Amino acid sequence: MAASKAGRAPKEFMPDYGRDVASEFELWLEDAEDYMAICKVTTPEEKKRLFLNLAGLSVRRIVKGLDVPTPPEEEGEPGDTYRALTDAVRAHFRPSINATLERHKFRQLKQGEQESVTSFVGRLRAKVDLCDFESTSVDSVSNGQVRDQLIVGLRNNEIRKDLLKEAK
């Protein structure tokens, strides 16, 4: 982000598949969009062209193999080709998730020896979204799953007893 804030174009995006590529791409895209704003690039077609130019050869090769849908017209205007392109690239970098495996991993989480309760809750919240727990209200299911796993994974029995007394 710092580079584009100073008015310089972000460096070419080089996917490093040993890292969290989806998160790295999101950070890079944020820089690219900051740069577009600084350059006053506003139309979807201009953004698309600048995106492809900034992203570099690796991303261009990826884009050539993607099925980028043609966006529908909006009020007689062409659809947002930039958004369609970036959504397709995001989907490419987003890993497919095995929800069953993620739920298993979630159920194995325990509070670490030196880990605070707050930190443990944060770790549970970060993992619960990968689990694809089904319900009409995702927030209530996620919160319930986090609470249940917190109770199971806590090291402190007194806190566990208090949470079980409060549980509905």
Side-chain angles (χ1 to χ4, degrees):
M1 278 186 270
S4 64
K5 297 282 189 219
R8 291 187 311 261
K11 292 182 179 173
E12 176 178 335
F13 183 74
M14 298 295 289
D16 178 356
Y17 291 99
R19 299 176 56 132
D20 180 359
V21 181
S23 295
E24 294 293 317
F25 178 73
E26 288 300 325
L27 290 172
W28 180 89
L29 185 59
E30 194 174 305
D31 267 359
E33 289 181 345
D34 285 347
Y35 182 71
M36 289 177 198
I38 290 168
C39 294
K40 298 183 179 10
V41 174
T42 57
T43 70
E45 192 58 34
E46 289 173 330
K47 285 181 166 185
K48 176 183 164 187
R49 288 177 183 200
L50 186 54
F51 167 84
L52 289 170
N53 184 279
L54 294 173
L57 194 55
S58 296
V59 173
R60 277 184 175 267
R61 285 185 179 124
I62 290 168
V63 167
K64 285 199 177 287
L66 294 178
D67 181 24
V68 180
T70 303
E73 287 188 12
E74 297 174 15
E75 298 177 16
E77 295 293 317
D80 191 339
T81 55
Y82 170 71
R83 189 63 50 214
L85 176 62
T86 55
D87 286 350
V89 175
R90 277 186 176 107
H92 172 80
F93 288 131
R94 189 178 311 120
S96 60
I97 295 173
N98 178 338
T100 302
L101 175 61
E102 294 302 328
R103 286 191 293 270
H104 171 73
K105 288 185 203 173
F106 181 77
R107 293 289 178 226
Q108 302 303 311
L109 292 174
K110 304 278 187 239
Q111 183 181 14
E113 285 293 321
Q114 303 299 317
E115 185 176 27
S116 70
V117 172
T118 303
S119 177
F120 182 43
V121 169
R123 198 160 49 97
L124 290 171
R125 288 197 185 286
K127 297 291 185 184
V128 75
D129 290 338
L130 300 174
C131 295
D132 195 28
F133 290 114
E134 296 177 17
S135 171
T136 53
S137 173
V138 173
D139 288 340
S140 66
V141 168
S142 294
N143 287 336
Q145 297 294 341
V146 168
R147 181 198 62 237
D148 292 352
Q149 193 59 35
L150 174 64
I151 291 168
V152 169
L154 275 172
R155 289 180 292 114
N156 186 314
N157 284 328
E158 294 303 313
I159 296 174
R160 181 181 296 111
K161 286 177 187 174
D162 288 344
L163 287 171
L164 287 168
K165 285 178 193 172
E166 294 173 14
K168 295 177 186 175

